[in-house]
Every structure is written in structure tokens, then in C-alpha cells.
Amino acid sequence: MKVFLLTLASAFLVILLINVGYYGVWFREKPRSYWFSFLKEKDDTTAEEGIKNARYGISYTISMRVKAFLEKKRLPNAIVLFEPNSYYRDSLHIYNSVRAPEPAVFYYYTGLTGVWTNSPDVNKANFIVHITRTKGVTIEEIHTPERLQQILAGFKKYPPIL
Amino acid sequence: MPAIAFLFLLICAWLSGVGLLRLFHLRLKPAYTHTLAVMLGVAAASFIPFLLQLCYIPLNGTTVFGALFLSALLLNIPAFLDIRKQGLRPFLHSQRPHFQLFRRGHVWPKAYEIPYWLVLGFLIFVSVWRCYYLPPTSRDALSGPEAIAEYAVREQTMINSFFDVDLWSTNNQFKSPFLISLQLIYKLAGFPFGQVWLSLLFICFTVFLYHALKERLHPLLAGLLLLLFTMCPEIYAYSFMILYDYSNMVFFFLGLYFLFRDPAAIGPAAPAPSPHASSSLSFAGLLLGIATYIRSETVILVGLLLPAILLMQWRKTPRSIKKIAIADALFLLPSLIAYYLQTNLYIQHYLPVHYNIGSLVNNHLENWSPLFQRYRDIITVLLFGTFATQLWGYIFYLFITLFVAELIFIRRLNRIARNWLYAMLALYLALGALGFTLPMFNLLETTKRALFKLMPLVLLYLANNELLLRLSGRIARWEMSGSPASHPAPAVAISKIKKKGQKK
């Protein structure tokens, strides 16, 4: 009987804890929601690539589009310049939804060399990724050093940020 | 295939851990032995690819798994010697107590423990699934250890093409090889995202913590405290998101737990101190050394523990200065070695890119106002307020309430509670000082995650709070009154019952 009463007490404490104040909010938004994700994920046949796409979001999608583009062009040694994130923040106002990957993470995603406007190898960049509100993601080949300098000059007032 | 590889890694981890426990002559309850063995084994494994790398041995399945197996065997040499001396049958017989896990009253939970374990089991399951299914996501991992591990698998070396990339935006390539090594091992085992080693730590730590709490409190209270800890939102998130801080918290806590068990060091926390008390101190040193290997600044915390240890050794035990010096040197040595391995050998002399740690130090150390500001911010931003609730839930509020109540109503703190409070204070002072000295040790990321280490200390303080101990004693007495004792009640409760009986 005493064990039964103690069991009731512990059950009551557990129910109270997972419903009270912030614990209730957290339990619904995190573990419970993760459980519903699990129910979908366990039957999902998505390969590793699909899982990464869903998990890493836009930055990964952009990186993989660049990779696909360069593979199609058979340019595995291309050096890709990314626009500064401060440009997305201060000029395009899309910083909350779009971020250019930092070179280390871009390399992790794709195995390709990426540079930012302050990278030591920025002068070797031969492609640039443009992101705009209207056109989305476009990749421009930089044909001449003059064009590269023109691009870099345009971003002078936008320092690279994460 | 990954399942077989995982089983192999689990066995290697357990064997290595059991070997280490044997080296320190630690005889613990089965629940402690096996959980601790796996955690120690995971930590031991994290040194293997790193050491192979230091010897310029290519990192592939054969070398890494071979070295893991070999190290597990080497750590068990004393056991093999015992088998040779005693014979296999007597040796196995002598090991029986370690395997009597399911003896009545040992691990089988009472009915009132089940509701807690249902929720804990649910939280563990969800965490393990996410650890297995999802790729690492934290930016600190992707721009450093995870990327290095990924290319180490492809190029068979930790000094790989990742270091040819522009690393201006990150310093994560300079972090401990702990994460790189474990990610490498589990990726080689066939887990594309690695990570599952973290679930081993999470599960074993949860079980260990529950038993540590149950030593002091009735399971009704122990389960509640453990649930409060597991439901710390921020800590839970890092149980399936690889980074350094969760593992650092685990080994820092374990180090303190064994330090406080050593009666010669700070005072007995365990009801029945080990006959090999001084090995408990050096074992604590080993665990803190692992914590330092994971996060190098832990060495400062280890240093801050030393004055208290010295003071208590001097006061309590009639040891000679030489013996104290040797015991304390053995306590400090693993942390110093771990610090040297990680910051001097690996970063300064091994990595192809260099890191000037001196340049990270605050240039205005004469101005102390940022130091006090940091101490204030830790309290007002990270420990109390809306943001703090989102990080830790209400556990810190519970701590303050019971601490103040203990001061008001009991007016004294028992020795074990004082030990944990001392550790909490040392941590708080060290984190403030680190934030002041190293501006990169920022408040909302680095200090926040470093505060993970505080929460198990809070939990163990609560388990030694006199008010909770009295409540626990009352529950245990009420439960045991009128029925034969079928459950091993907490030692504290039993001692109180005995005292009461003696008075009568």
C-alpha cells in the first residue's frame, strides 16, 4: 500500500513537472515534437544527403548548388567568392534567412575552396555567388582581374561577418 | 555492419574502463562500475587516434580499431596477471560481485521509480535517435573538429586538406583533438555522422548520477532531482549535439565526485569510504585530467581545488609532507599532462597553422570593472531571469530556495554540502576570471556552456541539503515502518533511523 502511494506521488510529480511553467512549454516544443519527428524519420528513406539538406538549411542548399554547377562545368578547382554577410544584413535585409557559408564550412559541405572578401586568396577567385531577393542564387564566372577588383570595391563598405 | 562495429567499440570501451578501474583498485557498486567503465573507455578511445597521429601512423580502420583493441588489452594486463596467478575460475568467481547487477534490491527499480524512468527513458530515447540520425550542427563543430574528422577519414590524417582552406573566420581548428578522435572512430565504424559516442556518455552519466543521488536520498527525491537535471533545456540539447561542454561536464563532475569520496582529501562523501582512499584522489586526478584534455581551461579549476585539498589534508590526516606532496602531485599530474598535450604539443608544435594564445589575453588587465561586470552578468543573465529559465529550467531557483532555507532553519551546512558549494564557488570565480582575462571567452556562448559544469554540482549539493535529507529520512522511515526492509534505503536515512533507535 505504501509503495502504491509512493508510486502515485512519483507519477504526480512527473506529470506536474512536465506541465509546469517553462518545463511544459519546453517539453511540448522539444522532446515531444522530436518524438513526432522520429515517427516520420524512422520510415523515411531519405539518404544522408537529404537529411543534411533538411538539417543544415539554406546555407547548405546554396553550397550544394554551387557544387553541382561547378561539377557540371567540370571545374573542381574553382575558387568561389561569397558576398559578405553584412551586405545581406545592411543592404538586402535578408540576413535572417540567408547566410553565406564561411570558407571552412563550405569546404566541409562541398570539398571546394571558398573565399570571403578578406581571404588571402581572394585574388584567385574565379566565381562569385550572388544572392538577390528577385533572382535567388546565381553564379557568375569572373573572367578578368578587373571584374574581380570591381566586385571587391563594391563590397568595401561591407566587412565580412559570420 | 555499423551495429557490429558499435558492439566492438562498446566492448573495447568497457574493457578499457574496467582495466583503468582495476589499476586504481577501485571497488564500486556494479551500477557505478559499468557506467564508469564505459565513460572511461570512451575517454580512453579519444586519445587513440590522437596518439596515432602524433606518431604519424595513418588513420584507417585497421590501425584505429587495432590500436583500440590493443589498448583495451594493455589496460587489462593486471587482470591477466591475476588470472595467471589465481587461475581463470577463481578469478571469475572473484569478479562475480561486479556482475550481480540484477540481484534483488540492486538495480530492479521499485514501483515508484518507474514513472521517473519512463520519462527519463523517453528523453534518453529521443536524444539517442537524434544523435544517430541527424548530422552535427553546431557551427563550432562544423568549422573545426567535425570537418577535420571528416577529411581525416578520407585522407587518413588529422593534418589534412582542411588546413589549406582560409580559416580566418574560425579558431575551432585549435580545439581539443577529443572530438576529432571520437568522430573519426565512429565515422570509421560506419556511422556517417559519428556522434553516437555522445549517447553512451549521456546514458551512462544519467544512470551514474541516479545512483549517486540515491546514495543520499530516497528514490522519490533522487528521481525528481535527476529529472530536473535532465530537463535542463540547454544541457539536454547538448546530449545529442556534439561539442566539448557536455563531455567536459561529465568528467569534471566525476572527478569531483571521487575527490570528495577520498576522506584524506576533503572528507568522506560516500557512506563507506574505499579502503584505497588515496587511489580515489589520484583517480579523481585522472578524471579531471580527462576534463582538461576536453577543455584546457579546466586546469584552472583543478588548480583552484588544490588549496582546499591541501588544507584538509593538513588538518585531518597525520600524513607526512612527503606523502601529501606525492598524493597531490599524482592528483595534478594528469591535468598538467593533458594541458601540455593539447595546448603545447598539439597546437604549438604539431598543427600546420599556428595559434598565438598570448595574443588572446586582455590588454587592459589593470581595469577590473569588466571582471565585476562579468560576475554580475553570470548571476543576472545566465543564472536568474527569463533567459536563465530557458537554459536550465528552475533548478537554480530550487537550489537558492533550499540553500537559503537551510541557512535559516538549520543554520549549518554539513561537510559534504560544503564541499559541493566550494566547488560551485570555485567554478563561478574561475569562469568570471576567464571571461575577464580572455575576451573570446564570451558570456552568451562560452561561459554559458561552461556553466553546464555547475548543474551536477547543484544537484549533488541538493542531495546533501539537510532539509532534503530530513525529508528523505522521513519518507524512508514511513515506508519502512511496519514492513520488513526490502529495499536498501539511502545510507543517510538508515543512519538516522539507527540514531533514533539508539536514543530511545
Side-chain angles (χ1 to χ4, degrees):
Chain A
M1 183 60 186
K2 285 177 179 173
V3 169
F4 175 71
L5 288 175
L6 285 169
T7 309
L8 278 185
S10 69
F12 170 74
L13 286 171
V14 164
I15 291 166
L16 184 73
L17 195 62
I18 60 175
N19 285 291
V20 74
Y22 186 71
Y23 287 125
V25 177
W26 173 79
F27 197 83
R28 275 191 302 278
E29 285 179 1
K30 300 290 172 176
R32 199 161 152 262
S33 134
Y34 294 159
W35 170 256
F36 291 121
S37 303
F38 160 74
L39 294 177
K40 281 184 223 151
E41 289 160 355
K42 73 179 171 55
D43 300 322
D44 195 358
T45 50
T46 314
E48 193 184 318
E49 209 50 47
I51 298 170
K52 280 184 177 174
N53 223 344
R55 185 70 172 160
Y56 291 141
I58 189 81
S59 171
Y60 184 77
T61 313
I62 292 169
S63 302
M64 296 317 282
R65 277 190 63 180
V66 172
K67 188 182 179 186
F69 175 83
L70 294 173
E71 275 176 356
K72 204 173 163 188
K73 286 219 158 201
R74 298 189 182 181
L75 288 165
N77 297 320
I79 295 179
V80 183
L81 173 65
F82 286 95
E83 296 165 326
N85 280 319
S86 57
Y87 170 66
Y88 299 147
R89 184 188 62 190
D90 303 334
S91 180
L92 300 185
H93 307 291
I94 53 171
Y95 184 59
N96 287 335
S97 49
V98 175
R99 280 188 203 190
E102 55 187 307
V105 177
F106 180 65
Y107 186 69
Y108 170 67
Y109 287 159
T110 61
L112 294 169
T113 307
V115 286
W116 276 5
T117 51
N118 64 341
S119 296
D121 286 342
V122 68
N123 289 324
K124 293 180 188 166
N126 46 10
F127 284 88
I128 178 167
V129 178
H130 295 292
I131 301 174
T132 55
R133 278 180 181 273
T134 47
K135 290 181 186 168
V137 182
T138 51
I139 302 160
E140 177 198 338
E141 186 165 0
I142 305 169
H143 292 287
T144 61
E146 290 74 32
R147 172 65 186 139
L148 177 64
Q149 291 313 314
Q150 193 188 358
I151 291 168
L152 292 175
F155 290 129
K156 231 171 195 166
K157 59 177 180 175
Y158 300 105
I161 56 164
L162 284 174
Chain B
M1 184 60 190
I4 296 168
F6 179 74
L7 198 65
F8 169 78
L9 291 173
L10 186 63
I11 291 169
C12 280
W14 179 81
L15 269 176
S16 305
V18 166
L20 277 168
L21 288 174
R22 176 174 277 273
L23 284 176
F24 285 89
H25 307 289
L26 286 170
R27 289 197 169 272
L28 305 163
K29 282 187 199 168
Y32 289 138
T33 303
H34 300 294
T35 52
L36 201 55
V38 173
M39 288 189 278
L40 277 172
V42 169
S46 75
F47 284 91
I48 300 298
F50 174 47
L51 293 177
L52 290 175
Q53 178 66 48
L54 288 180
C55 302
Y56 295 98
I57 296 170
L59 303 171
N60 53 47
T62 314
T63 56
V64 172
F65 291 161
L68 283 170
F69 185 63
L70 192 67
S71 67
L73 292 182
L74 287 174
L75 285 168
N76 282 283
I77 285 177
F80 295 129
L81 293 176
D82 278 356
I83 292 172
R84 213 174 138 190
K85 210 191 287 177
Q86 301 172 17
L88 185 62
R89 194 178 284 263
F91 174 81
L92 289 177
H93 188 75
S94 71
Q95 300 303 307
R96 270 182 66 190
H98 293 305
F99 294 93
Q100 290 179 327
L101 265 177
F102 300 103
R103 201 171 60 191
R104 188 174 163 74
H106 266 245
V107 158
W108 290 125
K110 297 283 268 184
Y112 47 76
E113 296 175 70
I114 290 172
Y116 292 125
W117 278 103
L118 283 177
V119 179
L120 286 167
F122 172 73
L123 292 174
I124 288 172
F125 178 83
V126 166
S127 166
V128 171
W129 171 256
R130 291 182 82 77
C131 214
Y132 164 75
Y133 182 78
L134 297 174
T137 41
S138 74
R139 182 244 160 197
D140 282 6
L142 297 188
S143 60
E146 163 62 11
I148 297 172
E150 182 64 35
Y151 283 92
V153 172
R154 298 179 200 180
E155 299 171 23
Q156 303 196 2
T157 172
M158 283 186 196
I159 313 299
N160 52 49
S161 57
F162 176 77
F163 290 97
D164 300 334
V165 178
D166 171 28
L167 299 173
W168 167 81
S169 58
T170 174
N171 64 352
N172 292 312
Q173 68 276 23
F174 299 113
K175 302 261 173 81
S176 163
F178 171 81
L179 215 62
I180 304 170
S181 296
L182 287 171
Q183 281 297 91
L184 174 89
I185 292 170
Y186 283 81
K187 279 170 189 271
L188 284 173
F191 296 95
F193 306 134
Q195 292 204 122
V196 284
W197 54 270
L198 183 58
S199 293
L200 289 179
L201 283 187
F202 178 47
I203 294 168
C204 291
F205 185 58
T206 304
V207 175
F208 185 97
L209 210 47
Y210 183 61
H211 285 270
L213 292 171
K214 248 183 17 169
E215 263 186 16
R216 309 292 298 163
L217 296 175
H218 188 277
L220 191 72
L221 298 177
L224 184 64
L225 287 184
L226 183 66
L227 201 53
L228 278 169
F229 172 74
T230 313
M231 286 175 68
C232 282
E234 193 69 5
I235 299 180
Y236 181 71
Y238 282 88
S239 73
F240 52 83
M241 201 161 68
I242 52 157
L243 216 57
Y244 298 93
D245 305 271
Y246 190 91
S247 315
N248 179 243
M249 169 194 79
V250 168
F251 289 100
F252 181 71
F253 167 79
L254 291 174
L256 291 186
Y257 181 82
F258 283 94
L259 174 67
F260 296 158
R261 275 178 81 97
D262 184 0
I266 290 196
S274 154
H276 299 279
S278 59
S279 68
S280 199
L281 181 64
S282 37
F283 185 62
L286 174 80
L287 291 163
L288 291 169
I290 295 169
T292 304
Y293 171 62
I294 299 169
R295 282 205 73 104
S296 56
E297 69 270 15
T298 313
V299 76
I300 294 170
L301 292 166
V302 180
L304 282 176
L305 292 170
L306 198 62
I309 297 172
L310 277 170
L311 188 70
M312 300 309 282
Q313 281 173 328
W314 192 250
R315 271 192 193 168
K316 285 184 171 216
T317 51
R319 289 189 187 190
S320 70
I321 292 176
K322 194 179 162 191
K323 275 186 180 172
I324 289 176
I326 291 171
D328 291 351
L330 287 175
F331 170 74
L332 273 183
L333 200 62
S335 296
L336 296 177
I337 292 173
Y339 185 81
Y340 173 79
L341 271 179
Q342 197 217 321
T343 56
N344 288 60
L345 187 67
Y346 180 65
I347 295 179
Q348 303 294 349
H349 300 296
Y350 206 84
L351 287 184
V353 281
H354 293 287
Y355 199 33
N356 184 6
I357 296 171
S359 68
L360 303 175
V361 176
N362 179 3
N363 290 326
H364 305 286
L365 287 173
E366 71 288 346
N367 177 14
W368 285 28
S369 62
L371 174 68
F372 299 120
Q373 182 62 42
R374 179 54 63 94
Y375 283 131
R376 229 183 346 262
D377 287 345
I378 292 176
I379 300 278
T380 56
V381 179
L382 294 181
L383 293 176
F384 293 100
T386 317
F387 182 56
T389 308
Q390 289 168 8
L391 298 177
W392 326 114
Y394 301 117
I395 194 168
F396 211 74
Y397 290 99
L398 181 71
F399 157 71
I400 282 294
T401 309
L402 285 169
F403 176 58
V404 172
E406 187 176 26
L407 289 180
I408 294 171
F409 298 112
I410 311 291
R411 293 182 195 168
R412 67 179 170 79
L413 297 161
N414 67 51
R415 185 191 295 152
I416 308 164
R418 281 204 306 268
N419 287 345
W420 292 106
L421 285 170
Y422 176 84
M424 288 166 66
L425 181 67
L427 180 65
Y428 170 70
L429 292 176
L431 292 187
L434 277 166
F436 169 64
T437 318
L438 304 165
M440 281 187 77
F441 204 96
N442 63 15
L443 182 76
L444 294 179
E445 293 297 329
T446 321
T447 309
K448 176 196 77 178
R449 291 198 301 261
L451 275 176
F452 286 6
K453 289 190 277 291
L454 188 69
M455 297 307 150
L457 312 188
V458 166
L459 210 59
L460 263 285
Y461 161 74
L462 289 175
N464 291 286
N465 176 285
E466 203 58 46
L467 292 169
L468 280 186
L469 286 173
R470 287 183 186 186
L471 178 62
S472 167
R474 282 189 178 197
I475 298 170
R477 278 197 295 277
W478 175 75
E479 186 191 0
M480 289 165 82
S481 62
S483 67
S486 59
H487 185 277
V492 177
I494 289 174
S495 68
K496 290 198 178 212
I497 292 166
K498 280 181 184 165
K499 274 182 197 165
K500 211 176 174 183
Q502 282 162 4
K503 276 177 196 167
K504 277 179 186 170

